[in-house]
Coordinates of all heavy atoms in Angstrom, one line a residue:
M1 N 0.9 -1.2 0.0 CA 0.0 0.0 0.0 C 0.9 1.2 0.0 O 1.8 1.3 0.8 CB -0.9 0.0 1.3 CG -1.8 1.1 1.4 SD -2.9 1.0 2.8 CE -3.9 -0.3 2.2
N2 N 0.6 2.2 -0.9 CA 1.4 3.4 -1.0 C 1.0 4.4 0.0 O 0.0 4.3 0.7 CB 1.4 3.9 -2.4 CG 0.1 4.3 -2.9 OD1 -0.8 4.7 -2.1 ND2 -0.1 4.3 -4.2
S3 N 1.8 5.5 0.1 CA 1.5 6.5 1.1 C 0.3 7.3 0.9 O -0.4 7.8 1.8 CB 2.7 7.4 1.2 OG 2.9 8.1 0.0
A4 N -0.1 7.5 -0.4 CA -1.4 8.2 -0.7 C -2.6 7.4 -0.1 O -3.5 8.0 0.4 CB -1.5 8.4 -2.2
D5 N -2.6 6.1 -0.3 CA -3.7 5.3 0.2 C -3.7 5.3 1.7 O -4.8 5.4 2.3 CB -3.5 3.8 -0.3 CG -3.7 3.6 -1.8 OD1 -4.3 4.5 -2.4 OD2 -3.2 2.6 -2.3
K6 N -2.6 5.3 2.3 CA -2.5 5.3 3.8 C -3.0 6.7 4.3 O -3.7 6.8 5.3 CB -1.1 5.1 4.3 CG -0.7 3.6 4.3 CD 0.6 3.4 5.0 CE 0.9 1.9 5.0 NZ 2.1 1.7 5.8
K7 N -2.7 7.7 3.6 CA -3.2 9.1 4.0 C -4.7 9.2 3.9 O -5.3 9.7 4.8 CB -2.5 10.1 3.0 CG -2.8 11.5 3.4 CD -2.1 12.5 2.6 CE -2.3 13.9 3.0 NZ -1.6 14.9 2.2
K8 N -5.3 8.6 2.9 CA -6.8 8.6 2.8 C -7.4 7.8 3.9 O -8.4 8.2 4.5 CB -7.2 8.0 1.4 CG -6.9 8.9 0.2 CD -7.3 8.2 -1.0 CE -6.9 9.0 -2.2 NZ -7.1 8.3 -3.5
L9 N -6.8 6.6 4.2 CA -7.3 5.8 5.3 C -7.2 6.5 6.7 O -8.1 6.4 7.5 CB -6.6 4.4 5.3 CG -7.0 3.5 4.1 CD1 -6.1 2.3 4.1 CD2 -8.5 3.1 4.2
R10 N -6.1 7.2 6.9 CA -5.9 7.9 8.1 C -7.0 9.0 8.3 O -7.5 9.2 9.3 CB -4.5 8.6 8.2 CG -3.4 7.7 8.6 CD -2.2 8.4 9.0 NE -1.6 9.3 8.0 CZ -0.7 8.9 7.1 NH1 -0.3 7.7 7.1 NH2 -0.3 9.7 6.2
A11 N -7.3 9.6 7.2 CA -8.4 10.7 7.2 C -9.7 10.0 7.5 O -10.5 10.6 8.3 CB -8.4 11.4 5.8
Q12 N -10.0 8.9 6.9 CA -11.3 8.2 7.2 C -11.3 7.7 8.7 O -12.4 7.8 9.3 CB -11.4 7.0 6.3 CG -11.7 7.3 4.9 CD -11.8 6.0 4.0 OE1 -11.8 4.9 4.5 NE2 -11.8 6.2 2.7
A13 N -10.2 7.3 9.2 CA -10.2 6.7 10.6 C -10.3 7.8 11.6 O -10.6 7.5 12.8 CB -8.9 5.9 10.8
H14 N -10.1 9.1 11.2 CA -10.0 10.1 12.2 C -11.3 10.2 13.1 O -11.2 10.4 14.3 CB -9.8 11.5 11.5 CG -9.6 12.6 12.4 ND1 -8.5 12.8 13.2 CD2 -10.5 13.6 12.8 CE1 -8.7 13.9 14.0 NE2 -9.8 14.4 13.7
S15 N -12.4 10.0 12.4 CA -13.7 10.2 13.2 C -14.2 8.9 13.8 O -15.2 8.8 14.5 CB -14.8 10.6 12.2 OG -15.0 9.7 11.2
L16 N -13.5 7.8 13.6 CA -13.9 6.5 14.2 C -13.5 6.4 15.7 O -12.6 7.0 16.2 CB -13.1 5.3 13.5 CG -13.4 5.1 12.0 CD1 -12.5 4.0 11.5 CD2 -14.8 4.8 11.8
K17 N -14.3 5.6 16.4 CA -14.1 5.3 17.8 C -13.4 3.9 17.8 O -13.7 3.1 17.0 CB -15.4 5.3 18.6 CG -16.1 6.6 18.6 CD -15.6 7.5 19.6 CE -16.4 8.8 19.7 NZ -15.7 10.0 19.5
P18 N -12.6 3.6 18.8 CA -12.0 2.3 19.0 C -13.1 1.2 19.2 O -14.0 1.4 20.0 CB -11.1 2.4 20.2 CG -10.8 3.8 20.4 CD -12.1 4.6 19.8
V19 N -13.1 0.2 18.4 CA -14.1 -0.9 18.5 C -13.6 -2.1 19.3 O -14.4 -2.8 19.8 CB -14.5 -1.4 17.1 CG1 -15.4 -0.4 16.4 CG2 -13.3 -1.8 16.2
I20 N -12.3 -2.2 19.5 CA -11.7 -3.2 20.3 C -10.7 -2.6 21.3 O -10.0 -1.7 21.0 CB -10.8 -4.2 19.4 CG1 -11.6 -4.7 18.2 CG2 -10.2 -5.3 20.2 CD1 -12.6 -5.8 18.5
M21 N -10.8 -3.1 22.5 CA -9.9 -2.7 23.5 C -9.1 -3.8 24.1 O -9.7 -4.8 24.6 CB -10.6 -1.9 24.6 CG -9.7 -1.3 25.6 SD -10.6 -0.1 26.6 CE -10.0 -0.5 28.2
I22 N -7.8 -3.8 24.1 CA -7.0 -4.8 24.6 C -6.5 -4.4 26.0 O -5.8 -3.4 26.1 CB -5.8 -5.1 23.7 CG1 -6.3 -5.6 22.3 CG2 -4.9 -6.2 24.3 CD1 -5.3 -5.7 21.3
G23 N -6.9 -5.1 27.0 CA -6.6 -4.7 28.4 C -5.4 -5.5 29.0 O -4.5 -5.9 28.2
Q24 N -5.5 -5.7 30.3 CA -4.3 -6.3 31.0 C -4.2 -7.8 30.6 O -3.1 -8.3 30.8 CB -4.5 -6.2 32.5 CG -5.7 -6.9 33.1 CD -5.9 -6.4 34.5 OE1 -6.9 -5.8 34.8 NE2 -5.0 -6.7 35.4
S25 N -5.2 -8.5 30.1 CA -5.0 -9.9 29.7 C -4.2 -10.0 28.4 O -3.8 -11.1 28.0 CB -6.4 -10.5 29.5 OG -7.1 -10.5 30.7
G26 N -4.0 -8.9 27.7 CA -3.2 -8.9 26.5 C -4.0 -9.4 25.3 O -5.2 -9.4 25.3
L27 N -3.3 -9.9 24.3 CA -3.9 -10.3 23.0 C -4.2 -11.8 23.1 O -3.3 -12.7 23.0 CB -2.9 -10.1 21.9 CG -3.5 -10.4 20.5 CD1 -4.6 -9.4 20.2 CD2 -2.4 -10.2 19.4
T28 N -5.5 -12.1 23.4 CA -5.9 -13.5 23.5 C -6.6 -14.0 22.2 O -6.8 -13.2 21.3 CB -6.9 -13.6 24.7 OG1 -8.1 -12.8 24.4 CG2 -6.3 -13.2 26.0
A29 N -6.9 -15.3 22.2 CA -7.5 -15.8 21.0 C -8.9 -15.2 20.8 O -9.3 -14.9 19.7 CB -7.6 -17.3 21.1
A30 N -9.6 -14.9 21.9 CA -10.9 -14.3 21.8 C -10.9 -12.9 21.2 O -11.7 -12.5 20.4 CB -11.6 -14.3 23.2
V31 N -9.8 -12.2 21.7 CA -9.7 -10.8 21.1 C -9.3 -10.8 19.7 O -9.9 -10.0 18.9 CB -8.6 -10.1 21.9 CG1 -8.3 -8.7 21.3 CG2 -9.0 -9.9 23.4
L32 N -8.5 -11.8 19.3 CA -8.2 -11.9 17.8 C -9.4 -12.3 17.0 O -9.6 -11.8 15.9 CB -7.1 -13.0 17.6 CG -5.7 -12.5 17.7 CD1 -4.7 -13.7 17.6 CD2 -5.4 -11.5 16.6
A33 N -10.3 -13.1 17.6 CA -11.5 -13.5 16.9 C -12.4 -12.2 16.7 O -13.0 -12.0 15.6 CB -12.2 -14.6 17.6
E34 N -12.5 -11.4 17.7 CA -13.3 -10.2 17.6 C -12.7 -9.2 16.6 O -13.4 -8.5 15.9 CB -13.4 -9.5 19.0 CG -14.3 -10.1 20.0 CD -15.7 -10.2 19.5 OE1 -16.2 -9.1 18.9 OE2 -16.4 -11.2 19.6
I35 N -11.3 -9.1 16.6 CA -10.7 -8.3 15.6 C -11.0 -8.8 14.2 O -11.3 -8.0 13.3 CB -9.2 -8.2 15.8 CG1 -8.9 -7.4 17.1 CG2 -8.4 -7.6 14.7 CD1 -7.5 -7.5 17.6
E36 N -11.0 -10.1 14.0 CA -11.3 -10.7 12.7 C -12.8 -10.3 12.3 O -13.0 -9.9 11.1 CB -11.3 -12.2 12.7 CG -9.9 -12.8 12.7 CD -9.2 -12.7 11.3 OE1 -10.0 -12.5 10.3 OE2 -8.0 -12.9 11.2
L37 N -13.7 -10.4 13.2 CA -15.1 -10.0 12.9 C -15.2 -8.5 12.6 O -15.9 -8.1 11.6 CB -16.0 -10.3 14.1 CG -16.3 -11.8 14.4 CD1 -17.1 -11.9 15.7 CD2 -17.1 -12.3 13.3
A38 N -14.5 -7.7 13.3 CA -14.6 -6.3 13.1 C -14.0 -5.9 11.7 O -14.5 -5.1 11.0 CB -13.9 -5.5 14.2
L39 N -12.9 -6.5 11.4 CA -12.2 -6.3 10.1 C -13.1 -6.7 8.9 O -13.2 -6.1 7.9 CB -10.9 -7.0 10.0 CG -9.7 -6.3 10.8 CD1 -8.5 -7.2 10.8 CD2 -9.4 -4.9 10.1
N40 N -13.8 -7.9 9.1 CA -14.7 -8.4 8.1 C -15.9 -7.4 7.8 O -16.3 -7.2 6.7 CB -15.2 -9.8 8.4 CG -14.2 -10.8 8.2 OD1 -13.2 -10.7 7.5 ND2 -14.3 -11.9 8.9
S41 N -16.4 -6.8 8.9 CA -17.6 -6.0 8.7 C -17.2 -4.5 8.4 O -17.9 -3.8 7.7 CB -18.5 -6.1 10.0 OG -17.8 -5.6 11.1
H42 N -16.1 -4.0 9.0 CA -15.8 -2.6 8.8 C -14.6 -2.3 7.9 O -14.4 -1.2 7.4 CB -15.5 -2.0 10.2 CG -16.6 -2.1 11.1 ND1 -17.8 -1.4 10.9 CD2 -16.7 -2.7 12.3 CE1 -18.6 -1.7 11.9 NE2 -18.0 -2.5 12.8
E43 N -13.7 -3.2 7.7 CA -12.4 -3.1 7.0 C -11.4 -2.2 7.7 O -10.2 -2.5 7.8 CB -12.6 -2.5 5.6 CG -13.3 -3.5 4.6 CD -13.4 -3.0 3.2 OE1 -13.2 -1.8 3.0 OE2 -13.7 -3.8 2.3
L44 N -11.8 -1.0 8.2 CA -10.9 -0.1 8.8 C -11.4 0.1 10.3 O -12.5 0.5 10.5 CB -11.0 1.3 8.1 CG -10.1 2.4 8.6 CD1 -8.6 2.1 8.3 CD2 -10.5 3.7 8.0
I45 N -10.5 -0.3 11.2 CA -10.9 -0.2 12.6 C -9.8 0.5 13.5 O -8.7 0.5 13.0 CB -11.2 -1.6 13.2 CG1 -9.9 -2.5 13.2 CG2 -12.4 -2.3 12.5 CD1 -10.1 -3.8 14.0
K46 N -10.2 0.9 14.6 CA -9.3 1.4 15.6 C -9.3 0.4 16.8 O -10.3 -0.1 17.2 CB -9.7 2.8 16.2 CG -9.3 3.9 15.3 CD -9.6 5.2 16.0 CE -9.3 6.4 15.2 NZ -9.6 7.7 15.8
V47 N -8.1 0.2 17.3 CA -7.9 -0.7 18.4 C -7.2 0.0 19.5 O -6.1 0.7 19.3 CB -7.1 -2.0 18.0 CG1 -6.9 -2.9 19.2 CG2 -7.7 -2.7 16.9
R48 N -7.7 0.0 20.7 CA -7.0 0.6 21.9 C -6.2 -0.4 22.6 O -6.8 -1.4 23.0 CB -8.0 1.3 22.8 CG -7.3 1.9 24.1 CD -8.3 2.6 25.0 NE -9.0 3.6 24.3 CZ -8.7 4.9 24.3 NH1 -7.7 5.3 25.1 NH2 -9.4 5.8 23.7
I49 N -4.9 -0.2 22.7 CA -4.0 -1.2 23.3 C -3.5 -0.6 24.6 O -2.7 0.3 24.6 CB -2.9 -1.6 22.4 CG1 -3.4 -2.0 21.0 CG2 -2.0 -2.6 23.0 CD1 -2.4 -2.2 20.0
R50 N -4.0 -1.1 25.7 CA -3.6 -0.6 27.1 C -2.4 -1.4 27.5 O -2.5 -2.4 28.2 CB -4.8 -0.8 28.0 CG -6.1 -0.2 27.6 CD -6.2 1.2 27.9 NE -6.3 1.4 29.3 CZ -6.3 2.6 29.9 NH1 -6.3 3.7 29.1 NH2 -6.4 2.7 31.2
A51 N -1.2 -1.0 27.2 CA 0.0 -1.7 27.5 C 1.2 -0.6 27.5 O 1.0 0.5 27.0 CB 0.3 -2.8 26.6
E52 N 2.3 -1.1 27.8 CA 3.5 -0.3 27.7 C 3.9 -0.1 26.2 O 3.5 -0.8 25.4 CB 4.7 -0.9 28.4 CG 4.5 -1.0 29.9 CD 4.4 0.3 30.6 OE1 5.1 1.3 30.2 OE2 3.5 0.4 31.5
R53 N 4.7 0.9 25.9 CA 5.0 1.3 24.6 C 5.6 0.1 23.8 O 5.1 -0.1 22.6 CB 6.0 2.5 24.5 CG 6.4 2.9 23.1 CD 7.3 4.0 23.1 NE 6.7 5.2 23.8 CZ 7.3 6.3 24.0 NH1 8.6 6.5 23.7 NH2 6.7 7.3 24.6
D54 N 6.6 -0.6 24.3 CA 7.2 -1.7 23.6 C 6.2 -2.8 23.3 O 6.1 -3.4 22.3 CB 8.4 -2.2 24.3 CG 9.5 -1.1 24.5 OD1 9.5 -0.2 23.6 OD2 10.3 -1.2 25.4
D55 N 5.4 -3.1 24.3 CA 4.3 -4.1 24.2 C 3.3 -3.7 23.2 O 2.8 -4.6 22.4 CB 3.7 -4.4 25.6 CG 4.6 -4.9 26.6 OD1 5.7 -5.5 26.2 OD2 4.4 -4.7 27.8
R56 N 2.9 -2.4 23.1 CA 1.9 -2.0 22.1 C 2.4 -2.3 20.7 O 1.7 -2.7 19.9 CB 1.6 -0.5 22.3 CG 0.8 -0.2 23.5 CD 0.3 1.3 23.4 NE 1.3 2.3 23.3 CZ 1.7 3.0 24.3 NH1 1.1 2.9 25.5 NH2 2.6 4.0 24.2
K57 N 3.7 -2.0 20.5 CA 4.3 -2.2 19.2 C 4.2 -3.7 18.8 O 3.8 -4.1 17.7 CB 5.7 -1.7 19.1 CG 6.3 -1.7 17.8 CD 7.7 -1.0 17.8 CE 8.4 -0.8 16.5 NZ 8.3 -1.8 15.5
L58 N 4.6 -4.6 19.8 CA 4.6 -6.0 19.5 C 3.2 -6.5 19.3 O 2.9 -7.3 18.4 CB 5.2 -6.7 20.7 CG 6.7 -6.5 20.9 CD1 7.2 -7.2 22.2 CD2 7.5 -7.1 19.7
I59 N 2.2 -6.0 20.1 CA 0.8 -6.5 19.9 C 0.3 -6.0 18.6 O -0.4 -6.8 17.9 CB 0.0 -5.9 21.1 CG1 0.3 -6.6 22.4 CG2 -1.5 -6.1 20.8 CD1 -0.3 -6.0 23.7
S60 N 0.5 -4.8 18.2 CA 0.0 -4.4 16.9 C 0.6 -5.1 15.7 O -0.1 -5.5 14.8 CB 0.2 -2.9 16.7 OG 1.5 -2.5 16.8
E61 N 1.9 -5.5 15.8 CA 2.6 -6.3 14.8 C 2.0 -7.7 14.8 O 1.7 -8.2 13.7 CB 4.1 -6.4 15.0 CG 4.8 -5.1 14.7 CD 6.3 -5.1 15.2 OE1 6.7 -6.1 15.8 OE2 6.9 -4.1 14.9
K62 N 1.7 -8.2 15.9 CA 1.1 -9.6 16.0 C -0.3 -9.6 15.4 O -0.7 -10.5 14.7 CB 1.1 -10.1 17.4 CG 0.6 -11.5 17.5 CD 1.1 -12.2 18.7 CE 0.5 -13.6 18.9 NZ 0.5 -14.5 17.8
I63 N -1.1 -8.6 15.7 CA -2.4 -8.5 15.1 C -2.4 -8.5 13.6 O -3.1 -9.2 13.0 CB -3.1 -7.2 15.6 CG1 -3.5 -7.3 17.1 CG2 -4.4 -6.9 14.8 CD1 -4.0 -6.0 17.7
C64 N -1.5 -7.7 13.1 CA -1.3 -7.6 11.6 C -0.9 -8.9 11.0 O -1.3 -9.3 10.0 CB -0.4 -6.4 11.2 SG -1.1 -4.8 11.6
A65 N 0.1 -9.6 11.7 CA 0.6 -10.8 11.2 C -0.5 -11.9 11.2 O -0.7 -12.7 10.3 CB 1.8 -11.3 12.0
D66 N -1.3 -12.0 12.3 CA -2.3 -13.0 12.5 C -3.5 -12.8 11.6 O -4.2 -13.8 11.2 CB -2.7 -13.2 13.9 CG -1.6 -13.7 14.8 OD1 -0.5 -14.1 14.2 OD2 -1.7 -13.7 16.0
T67 N -3.9 -11.6 11.3 CA -5.1 -11.3 10.6 C -4.9 -11.0 9.1 O -5.8 -10.9 8.4 CB -5.9 -10.1 11.2 OG1 -5.0 -9.0 11.2 CG2 -6.3 -10.4 12.7
G68 N -3.6 -10.8 8.7 CA -3.3 -10.4 7.4 C -3.7 -8.9 7.1 O -3.9 -8.5 5.9
A69 N -3.8 -8.1 8.1 CA -4.2 -6.7 8.0 C -2.9 -5.9 7.9 O -1.8 -6.4 8.0 CB -5.0 -6.3 9.1
E70 N -3.1 -4.6 7.7 CA -2.0 -3.7 7.6 C -2.2 -2.5 8.6 O -3.3 -2.0 8.8 CB -1.9 -3.1 6.2 CG -0.7 -2.3 6.0 CD -0.3 -2.0 4.5 OE1 -0.9 -2.7 3.7 OE2 0.5 -1.2 4.3
L71 N -1.1 -2.2 9.3 CA -1.1 -1.1 10.3 C -1.0 0.2 9.5 O 0.0 0.4 8.8 CB 0.1 -1.3 11.3 CG 0.1 -0.2 12.4 CD1 -1.1 -0.4 13.3 CD2 1.4 -0.4 13.2
I72 N -2.0 1.0 9.7 CA -2.1 2.3 9.0 C -1.4 3.4 9.8 O -0.6 4.2 9.3 CB -3.5 2.7 8.6 CG1 -4.2 1.6 7.8 CG2 -3.6 4.0 8.0 CD1 -3.5 1.4 6.4
Q73 N -1.7 3.4 11.1 CA -1.2 4.4 12.0 C -1.2 3.9 13.4 O -2.1 3.2 13.8 CB -2.1 5.6 11.8 CG -1.7 6.8 12.6 CD -2.7 8.0 12.4 OE1 -3.9 7.8 12.1 NE2 -2.2 9.2 12.4
S74 N -0.3 4.4 14.2 CA -0.3 4.1 15.6 C 0.1 5.3 16.4 O 1.2 5.8 16.2 CB 0.7 3.0 15.9 OG 0.7 2.6 17.2
I75 N -0.8 5.9 17.1 CA -0.6 7.1 17.9 C -0.9 6.7 19.4 O -2.1 6.5 19.7 CB -1.4 8.3 17.4 CG1 -0.9 8.6 16.0 CG2 -1.2 9.5 18.4 CD1 -1.7 9.8 15.4
G76 N 0.0 6.8 20.3 CA -0.3 6.5 21.7 C -0.8 5.1 21.8 O -0.2 4.1 21.4
Q77 N -2.0 5.0 22.4 CA -2.6 3.7 22.7 C -3.5 3.2 21.5 O -4.1 2.1 21.6 CB -3.4 3.7 24.0 CG -2.5 3.9 25.2 CD -3.4 3.9 26.5 OE1 -4.6 3.9 26.4 NE2 -2.7 3.9 27.6
I78 N -3.7 4.0 20.5 CA -4.6 3.7 19.4 C -3.9 3.3 18.2 O -2.9 4.0 17.7 CB -5.5 5.0 19.1 CG1 -6.2 5.5 20.3 CG2 -6.4 4.7 17.9 CD1 -7.3 4.6 20.8
A79 N -4.3 2.1 17.7 CA -3.7 1.6 16.4 C -4.8 1.5 15.4 O -6.0 1.1 15.7 CB -3.1 0.2 16.6
V80 N -4.6 2.0 14.2 CA -5.5 2.0 13.1 C -5.1 0.9 12.2 O -4.0 0.8 11.7 CB -5.6 3.3 12.3 CG1 -6.6 3.2 11.2 CG2 -6.0 4.5 13.3
I81 N -6.0 -0.1 11.9 CA -5.7 -1.3 11.2 C -6.7 -1.4 10.0 O -7.9 -1.1 10.2 CB -5.8 -2.5 12.1 CG1 -4.7 -2.4 13.2 CG2 -5.6 -3.8 11.3 CD1 -4.8 -3.4 14.3
Y82 N -6.2 -1.8 8.9 CA -7.0 -2.0 7.7 C -6.8 -3.3 7.0 O -5.6 -3.8 6.9 CB -6.7 -0.9 6.7 CG -7.4 -1.0 5.4 CD1 -8.7 -0.6 5.2 CD2 -6.7 -1.5 4.2 CE1 -9.4 -0.8 4.0 CE2 -7.3 -1.6 3.0 CZ -8.7 -1.2 2.9 OH -9.3 -1.4 1.7
R83 N -7.9 -3.9 6.6 CA -7.8 -5.1 5.7 C -9.0 -5.1 4.8 O -10.1 -5.0 5.2 CB -7.9 -6.4 6.6 CG -7.7 -7.7 5.7 CD -7.8 -8.9 6.5 NE -9.1 -9.1 7.0 CZ -9.5 -10.0 7.9 NH1 -8.6 -10.8 8.5 NH2 -10.7 -10.1 8.3
L84 N -8.6 -5.2 3.5 CA -9.7 -5.1 2.4 C -10.5 -6.4 2.5 O -10.0 -7.5 2.7 CB -9.0 -5.1 1.1 CG -10.0 -5.0 -0.1 CD1 -10.8 -3.8 -0.1 CD2 -9.2 -5.2 -1.4
N85 N -11.8 -6.2 2.5 CA -12.8 -7.3 2.4 C -13.2 -7.5 1.0 O -14.0 -6.7 0.5 CB -14.0 -7.0 3.3 CG -14.9 -8.2 3.5 OD1 -14.8 -9.2 2.8 ND2 -15.9 -8.1 4.4
P86 N -12.8 -8.6 0.3 CA -13.1 -8.7 -1.1 C -14.6 -9.0 -1.3 O -15.1 -8.7 -2.4 CB -12.3 -9.9 -1.5 CG -12.0 -10.6 -0.3 CD -12.0 -9.6 0.8
D87 N -15.4 -9.4 -0.3 CA -16.8 -9.6 -0.5 C -17.7 -8.4 -0.4 O -18.8 -8.4 -0.9 CB -17.3 -10.6 0.7 CG -16.6 -11.9 0.6 OD1 -16.1 -12.3 -0.5 OD2 -16.5 -12.6 1.6
K88 N -17.1 -7.3 0.0 CA -17.9 -6.0 0.1 C -18.0 -5.4 -1.3 O -17.1 -5.4 -2.0 CB -17.2 -5.0 1.1 CG -17.8 -5.1 2.4 CD -17.4 -4.0 3.3 CE -18.3 -3.8 4.4 NZ -17.9 -2.7 5.3

């Protein structure tokens, strides 16, 4: 994905609220399943990751690797994730 596409997605994500919140239990299988459902229905989602900075980076990378999504933006505790749904 090129930078122009990411810029458009960042603009779209600006008004979104986080649909998934990862708390002290971390990234569990249930949370990953919810992220899959959210990506299938919305394509572009925000995830709030309540963890230390290094852990947030690892968690967002793992989400992208496990779901086949792409990290668009990460600011503080909020990560914006996108995956194209071919059925839409």
Side-chain angles (χ1 to χ4, degrees):
M1 179 174 292
N2 61 26
S3 61
D5 293 338
K6 283 189 177 185
K7 186 174 182 179
K8 288 178 188 172
L9 290 172
R10 279 195 302 270
Q12 287 177 10
H14 184 72
S15 62
L16 297 178
K17 300 278 186 231
V19 290
I20 307 287
M21 186 163 138
I22 300 173
Q24 65 190 115
S25 298
L27 186 63
T28 62
V31 173
L32 269 174
E34 285 298 317
I35 291 171
E36 284 283 346
L37 286 173
L39 284 170
N40 286 338
S41 60
H42 300 295
E43 291 185 344
L44 183 68
I45 63 169
K46 278 187 179 178
V47 178
R48 179 177 298 264
I49 305 170
R50 309 274 293 175
E52 295 298 320
R53 179 180 300 177
D54 298 334
D55 296 336
R56 285 195 301 256
K57 187 173 187 321
L58 292 173
I59 289 171
S60 59
E61 288 172 357
K62 182 153 176 49
I63 290 171
C64 292
D66 291 353
T67 61
E70 188 163 348
L71 183 67
I72 300 300
Q73 182 180 32
S74 181
I75 297 178
Q77 295 180 351
I78 304 293
V80 178
I81 297 173
Y82 174 77
R83 182 179 71 191
L84 180 66
N85 186 351
D87 298 336
K88 265 194 162 180

